[in-house]
Amino acid sequence: MNSEADIIIIGAGIWGLSTAYHLAREQTGRSIVVVERNAAVADETTRQAAGQIGQLRRDPLMASAVGYTLELLTGFKEATGHDPRLMLTGSLHLAQCDERMASFEEQLAHARALGIEAEIAEGVLIEQLAPAISLSEITGALYVPGDGYVDARACAHAYCNAARDLGVEIVLNTEVTDLRTCNDSVTGIETDRGPVVTGNVIATAGPWAGRLAAMAGLTLPMQPIRLQQARTTPDPGIPAHHPVVRIPDQSCYLRPEEGGYLFGIFDDDPMAIDPREMPASFATGDIKPAEDIIAGARQRLAPVFPVLEQLNIAQFRQGMITCTPDAGYVIGPAPSVEGLWFATGCGGMGIAGSGSVGRWLADSVLKGACRDDISPFLPSRFKDLDPDSLREACRRICSNYYALNSVTYSLS
Ligand SMILES: Cc1cc2nc3c(=O)[nH]c(=O)nc-3n(C[C@H](O)[C@H](O)[C@H](O)COP(=O)(O)OP(=O)(O)OC[C@H]3O[C@@H](n4cnc5c(N)ncnc54)[C@H](O)[C@@H]3O)c2cc1C
């Protein structure tokens, strides 16, 4: 690792890697270094993600953020030679009550206003897309044909390899232990392998962003919260084109993976985790499988997908999503340190928005502005909220993810 760099990115999850790619794509000749504490990239939150890319967002900014990511990933292999493994299968949203169906009608109008293709799905289409669904258990469905999912790790590796091809240095096994500042400007980083001088630091440390912020005497309006899912043993009845299925009345989602189903749940009483209070070595792998919550999710899903009762769990997967009180990302300059940027608060939408996050950060750092107004994501917001209220507000956002009054999913 050189002792100087023009721009340092801390953390090689999907956000750091997309940022590196977008910075390098501008070909400014600046040296860009990604510093990652692990032996491999994308080995924390990103590795655990379901990778679902859903376009229906209440907030038009988020909808366009996902729209750009989809457009980028659709042409990524052709443009860079690296495959993000995007599956454009569409998505089905299932309603189990009239209120939900009414909210889908609103979503339909909203989607069309945003230019997103969507339709109310008839039973024949549902059966054809996802034959295991028990139609008698649902009131109706909304279909979004342009949605899909990626293998999140493969997608992050594609950003990484494309960034490397453009000259980005990825430094592994190196932990950032402190930030250096002078006269309210960033001047470098300290690592366990020595210091690096730089005038630009972008911290994309996911759930560990709070630790980085603390090094600069800052707090961020973000709370890491455990999220869990499980993959079943293979079921030969799953068609290759099976869409992502969201069952918001059960707070659950499901999609195919490795021949089985990957299903997850936003539980009613989610567990907050604060890496600032953990040993520095605390990693995603230290989080225990949430077997009871997964058992509950399977029970909730089984009436709609009876086949789940016959399949064993092949893998539990859990990680931390970073939630905020308004469900918006945390992206922008540090309030009081010139040259220091933060990006966290993914809210379970970090893969879906990864392209835009990278582009916003690259444009903001290189050009001083980006094409969207990302001021709603400023890290300085909620600065008067005490830690307990922040944590509870974030837990509520997570448990209400698919609720009828949700700020993330619903329009009601
Ligand atoms: C169960 C689950 C399901 C999900 N499903 C979806 C989904 O379907 N769709 C979607 O869009 N999103 C989903 N997400 C969210 C998605 O995974 C995240 O938004 C995304 O991975 C965040 O990426 P990141 O780069 O911000 O963080 P991370 O992937 O956690 O990367 C942060 C990196 O920073 C490194 N780091 C931290 N501190 C330091 C330090 N001091 N020095 C050096 N390196 C450091 C870490 O080692 C890590 O590699 C899901 C998440 C979970 C847990």
Side-chain angles (χ1 to χ4, degrees):
M1 179 170 61
N2 288 330
S3 59
E4 266 184 62
D6 291 320
I7 304 172
I8 288 181
I9 297 167
I10 305 173
I14 200 163
W15 280 16
L17 296 167
S18 170
T19 303
Y21 167 70
H22 281 88
L23 281 166
R25 208 174 66 163
E26 292 296 317
Q27 299 195 320
T28 60
R30 293 181 210 207
S31 53
I32 301 158
V33 178
V34 181
V35 182
E36 167 57 50
R37 63 181 188 159
N38 287 337
V41 305
D43 230 6
E44 298 284 354
T45 323
T46 299
R47 185 193 182 109
Q48 306 304 101
Q52 292 160 175
I53 304 187
Q55 300 170 88
L56 288 189
R57 305 285 164 184
R58 183 191 190 111
D59 178 0
L61 174 58
M62 281 308 303
S64 88
V66 176
Y68 168 67
T69 305
L70 266 178
E71 187 190 313
L72 175 74
L73 295 181
T74 302
F76 203 80
K77 188 173 174 201
E78 200 182 330
T80 68
H82 302 291
D83 188 355
R85 292 178 55 189
L86 173 66
M87 298 289 291
L88 286 173
T89 55
S91 75
L92 268 177
H93 302 247
L94 305 184
Q96 293 184 294
C97 62
D98 293 340
E99 291 89 336
R100 182 67 69 180
M101 208 50 220
S103 87
F104 284 175
E105 296 283 356
E106 278 183 80
Q107 287 273 25
L108 184 61
H110 179 64
R112 287 183 176 157
L114 292 173
I116 299 165
E117 197 187 333
E119 63 185 270
I120 299 296
E122 302 298 329
V124 177
L125 178 61
I126 299 170
E127 271 182 326
Q128 183 200 329
L129 293 169
I133 290 178
S134 171
L135 288 178
S136 61
E137 292 293 322
I138 64 171
T139 313
L142 180 64
Y143 177 48
V144 186
D147 278 359
Y149 58 91
V150 284
D151 173 331
R153 204 153 158 259
C155 181
H157 277 265
Y159 284 133
C160 180
N161 292 331
R164 266 201 185 111
D165 290 350
L166 294 167
V168 172
E169 187 186 0
I170 312 280
V171 178
L172 301 174
N173 295 309
T174 304
E175 180 168 350
V176 175
T177 53
D178 210 350
L179 300 173
R180 283 184 173 184
T181 60
C182 182
N183 296 332
D184 298 331
S185 291
V186 80
T187 56
I189 58 167
E190 297 286 345
T191 79
D192 54 2
R193 290 172 62 200
V196 186
V197 173
T198 185
N200 295 290
V201 171
I202 306 173
T204 50
W208 294 269
R211 288 180 72 94
L212 270 302
M215 294 173 193
L218 301 167
T219 55
L220 298 173
M222 172 281 279
Q223 172 68 54
I225 292 183
R226 185 184 67 184
L227 193 63
Q228 52 283 312
Q229 55 193 10
R231 176 170 56 81
T232 70
T233 46
D235 170 13
I238 304 176
H241 60 260
H242 194 293
V244 170
V245 181
R246 294 185 179 83
I247 310 172
D249 296 316
Q250 305 302 336
S251 288
C252 289
Y253 60 82
L254 171 153
R255 72 161 174 84
E257 173 146 307
E258 292 186 39
Y261 291 104
L262 179 71
F263 65 91
I265 181 167
F266 291 87
D267 62 310
D268 301 336
D269 187 19
M271 180 197 285
I273 300 174
D274 192 342
R276 290 172 305 181
E277 294 167 0
M278 304 292 203
S281 61
F282 171 70
T284 306
D286 295 324
I287 306 171
K288 297 210 165 28
E291 294 185 26
D292 50 341
I293 292 169
I294 290 300
R298 176 145 64 158
Q299 235 170 11
R300 288 191 195 193
L301 283 166
V304 182
F305 279 91
V307 66
L308 286 180
E309 302 218 79
Q310 293 147 35
L311 300 170
N312 293 325
I313 303 295
Q315 184 193 30
F316 291 97
R317 245 198 242 173
Q318 51 284 322
M320 294 167 281
I321 56 167
T322 46
C323 291
T324 60
D326 57 4
Y329 291 155
V330 176
I331 298 179
S336 50
V337 185
E338 185 75 27
L340 175 59
W341 289 73
F342 286 100
T344 182
C346 70
M349 303 173 283
I351 310 300
S354 60
S356 292
V357 171
R359 183 165 69 162
W360 288 329
L361 283 165
D363 287 349
S364 300
V365 170
L366 294 177
K367 303 170 191 165
C370 59
R371 52 178 268 161
D372 297 310
D373 173 12
I374 56 166
S375 60
F377 300 150
L378 276 177
S380 56
R381 69 196 199 278
F382 297 112
K383 60 179 181 304
D384 296 329
L385 207 57
D386 65 82
D388 289 348
S389 307
L390 175 82
R391 186 187 60 242
E392 288 314 304
C394 294
R395 279 188 353 106
R396 268 197 306 280
I397 287 287
C398 189
S399 61
N400 282 333
Y401 203 86
Y402 285 140
L404 275 163
N405 62 356
S406 150
V407 293
T408 43
Y409 181 74
S410 182
L411 294 175
S412 307

